[in-house]
Amino acid sequence: MQKISHSLKENLACLQQEFGDSGDYYLHQANLCGVPCAAVLCDVVAGIKNTWFMLLRPLQESEQRFEDGKKLFEWLVKDSGLPFTSKPAQSSEQVCYLLNAGHSLLFVDGVDEALVFSTQDFALRSVSEPDSEANVYGSKEAFTDVLRKNMGLIRRRMRGGGLVMETLQLGEATQTEVAICYQKNLADPQMVDTIRKRLKEIRLQMVFDASYLAPFLESAPASLFGCTGMTQRPDTLCAKLCEGKVAVMADGSPYAVLVPYFFAEHFQCMDDYSARPYYASFIRLLKYMAFFLAVMLPGAFVSAANFTPELFPGQLLYKVAASESATPLPLFLEAIFVNILLEVVKEAGLRLPKPIGHSVSLVAALIVGDAAVRFGIIGSPVIILLALSAICGFAVPSLYQPVTILRMLFILAGGLLGPCGILLLLMALFYRVFSIDTYGMPYTAPLTPYSNGLLQDGLLRTGWLGRQGAFFTIHQFKKKGEGLHADKTPH
């Protein structure tokens, strides 16, 4: 780490060497209060007008005069009243980071420190409605791409005290600002220390999104189901903080990582707490049913058609047999082919520009849904079941990735091993999900082990009346006698 020099010329020479002929590098030298000084900024991310009104104009209009830079610097720090930040820059690495972050720096000849002024003036996206996690009632605000603005959205909602937002820089090349948010009165200190340690041990060249950090916070990296969640909503994040969880946000990302994240939370949404309890419970049960249909329906159909056709009613069995005899591929290969084709169509519609993306769905419907069936390449029953399975998968969007892989595995198991393969794979799935331990807590909480939260805000949801103040946190699910396992995630 190279410290700032006492000589103004040496400091400016170092900056010239670092920034070279960059078009946004701005330097203004002037005698302020009788001492040679220099104001430095990058005018793409910092405003020259802000620097003029906050720094240059007050000093140029001041009648104070000083013999050397040390006395001027002492007067600036103690008596001037200028709005500089509390910590001056002391090294060249700090100078580069602050300039790239939109700050303006004042170098004074004879002083080995630089005063820092917050003069950010870069273009940013305003607060808007969330693209995902849509809701009928409640807040319509979503996080933006600027970390400091996102921190303000959280602070505005958490007014009761105890909110802590620690910041650090990650990414050797990007030096991205990352914030760790938690309620110090509710979050487990050991869990916070573990998360902080894991983040500091990250060695990445670049961090452009909060999702870059999620794999390092996972408790079961090899599992299909993630132990971290993502949210774009400030109110959802604040609700998780009130449950004793920790959130990690990164500058440049409108999403926050939630740690830990339980399996049951994939089936919950903010509207559950605005709707009637009986309706919210019905929707949650519906989502669980949709999840199992999305995962198992095609595989169970292939298994029944190949190994136990007597389970089908007579008319349905005749149509399935006629459809299979008219197509060149076995039934389970048809299901795999259609499943892959659906993913290709989905990916194409997602990545293409919006005006073209709609045409992809139209072409896929005409070719796959009509022409392929008429030509006898794909059977109608397979298309209908795969389409129904895909629609059910969209009911739980946060589990779309594991649902896609599990659907393929169940099709293979049902097509190759029949009902035994379906049961073995289902048992392996249950065993894996129930065995995951996330920061000393079961991943399936509050479903297992049984607790009052199962019926109050787990599988079902009861009303607020009669249990005001009965606040559920993650501490009731912590396993007795077990600590946090910081060494389970490889770096």
Side-chain angles (χ1 to χ4, degrees):
M1 181 179 293
Q2 183 179 355
K3 290 186 65 64
I4 296 176
S5 172
H6 287 82
S7 172
L8 179 62
K9 291 184 178 180
E10 292 183 8
N11 292 329
L12 297 183
C14 291
L15 287 172
Q16 181 64 29
Q17 183 179 2
E18 177 69 26
F19 290 93
D21 297 326
S22 298
D24 60 344
Y25 174 64
Y26 177 83
L27 168 66
H28 179 77
Q29 299 186 62
N31 285 330
L32 303 177
C33 300
V35 179
C37 300
V40 184
L41 57 92
C42 294
D43 64 1
V44 174
V45 291
I48 297 178
K49 290 184 178 180
N50 296 338
T51 305
W52 168 255
F53 286 109
M54 293 174 61
L55 171 62
L56 297 177
R57 182 177 178 180
L59 291 181
Q60 287 185 347
E61 294 179 354
S62 175
E63 298 179 357
Q64 296 283 345
R65 292 294 179 269
F66 300 92
E67 299 176 358
D68 54 41
K70 291 184 178 180
K71 293 183 178 180
L72 171 60
F73 194 86
E74 183 179 353
W75 177 78
L76 288 172
V77 172
K78 295 182 178 180
D79 302 321
S80 67
L82 294 179
F84 52 82
T85 59
S86 58
K87 294 182 179 180
Q90 299 178 339
S91 65
S92 57
E93 289 80 2
Q94 287 180 320
V95 168
C96 293
Y97 172 78
L98 291 168
L99 290 177
N100 291 326
H103 297 274
S104 297
L105 276 70
L106 177 66
F107 291 88
V108 181
D109 191 27
V111 181
D112 60 351
E113 294 180 328
L115 290 178
V116 184
F117 292 81
S118 297
T119 56
Q120 291 94 335
D121 191 25
F122 45 81
L124 54 90
R125 183 169 57 92
S126 61
V127 178
S128 58
E129 292 190 19
D131 297 328
S132 58
E133 301 177 86
N135 66 312
V136 178
Y137 305 100
S139 172
K140 303 297 181 182
E141 290 183 342
F143 286 129
T144 68
D145 299 326
V146 181
L147 177 61
R148 296 287 174 167
K149 186 176 287 292
N150 294 339
M151 294 168 67
L153 293 174
I154 298 171
R155 181 73 68 177
R156 182 166 61 89
R157 288 170 169 81
M158 304 287 288
R159 303 178 185 179
L163 176 63
V164 179
M165 290 188 281
E166 303 177 11
T167 59
L168 63 155
Q169 284 75 42
L170 297 179
E172 296 178 7
T174 59
Q175 287 293 295
T176 305
E177 189 176 22
V178 175
I180 307 173
C181 307
Y182 59 93
Q183 267 281 355
K184 64 180 181 181
N185 301 324
L186 298 173
D188 188 342
Q190 192 176 359
M191 181 175 66
V192 176
D193 292 339
T194 302
I195 293 172
R196 187 187 299 113
K197 179 182 177 182
R198 290 186 179 185
L199 290 175
K200 289 182 177 180
E201 290 177 351
I202 293 176
R203 297 294 179 265
L204 293 176
Q205 282 292 108
M206 52 192 176
V207 176
F208 293 121
D209 191 83
S211 58
Y212 283 51
L213 310 175
F216 298 92
L217 302 175
E218 289 280 357
S219 299
S223 174
L224 285 175
F225 299 94
C227 299
T228 61
M230 302 286 288
T231 184
Q232 194 184 7
R233 299 177 58 91
D235 52 353
T236 299
L237 187 144
C238 293
K240 300 303 180 183
L241 295 184
C242 292
E243 294 176 4
K245 298 184 179 181
V246 179
V248 178
M249 300 186 296
D251 189 37
S253 172
Y255 287 88
V257 180
L258 302 174
V259 184
Y261 203 76
F262 302 124
F263 180 75
E265 294 181 88
H266 293 288
F267 302 89
Q268 301 173 1
C269 66
M270 290 300 295
D271 277 337
D272 290 350
Y273 305 94
S274 303
R276 293 280 187 177
Y278 61 83
Y279 183 75
S281 301
F282 168 72
I283 292 298
R284 286 190 184 181
L285 294 175
L286 197 64
K287 288 181 180 179
Y288 279 100
M289 183 182 69
F291 168 76
F292 283 103
L293 285 176
V295 169
M296 298 185 61
L297 182 60
F301 172 77
V302 170
S303 171
N306 288 339
F307 293 89
T308 55
E310 63 273 8
L311 295 178
F312 290 119
Q315 290 184 338
L316 180 60
L317 178 61
Y318 173 76
K319 292 182 179 180
V320 171
S323 175
E324 185 179 5
S325 62
T327 56
L329 296 175
L331 197 60
F332 85 98
L333 288 181
E334 279 188 49
I336 292 176
F337 175 72
V338 174
N339 190 53
I340 293 175
L341 196 59
L342 286 174
E343 289 302 311
V344 171
V345 171
K346 189 268 297 182
E347 192 68 17
L350 179 65
R351 305 303 172 188
L352 284 172
K354 289 183 178 180
I356 307 177
H358 298 296
S359 62
V360 172
S361 302
L362 179 61
V363 172
L366 291 175
I367 294 177
V368 179
D370 185 36
V373 175
R374 289 175 180 270
F375 195 66
I377 298 177
I378 303 172
S380 300
V382 174
I383 291 182
I384 294 172
L385 288 175
L386 263 297
L388 179 60
S389 176
I391 293 172
C392 290
F394 292 140
V396 193
S398 59
L399 287 177
Y400 184 82
Q401 296 179 19
V403 162
T404 302
I405 302 301
L406 287 172
R407 183 191 299 132
M408 188 78 72
L409 293 177
F410 271 98
I411 292 174
L412 289 172
L416 298 176
L417 301 177
C420 292
I422 296 290
L423 290 176
L424 288 175
L425 185 56
L426 185 62
M427 291 173 61
L429 175 63
F430 282 144
Y431 174 78
R432 181 55 182 163
V433 172
F434 287 112
S435 65
I436 296 177
D437 179 84
T438 171
Y439 293 91
M441 291 160 284
Y443 179 59
T444 53
L447 304 180
T448 59
Y450 176 78
S451 66
N452 293 332
L454 173 63
L455 300 179
Q456 291 179 336
D457 194 19
L459 190 63
L460 305 176
R461 194 192 83 80
T462 58
W464 295 111
L465 295 178
R467 62 183 183 97
Q468 296 96 331
F471 197 80
F472 300 100
T473 67
I474 63 176
H475 300 291
Q476 63 177 309
F477 305 119
K478 190 166 180 59
K479 291 183 178 179
K480 296 181 180 179
E482 293 190 7
L484 304 180
H485 307 290
D487 56 345
K488 283 193 174 182
T489 301
H491 299 282

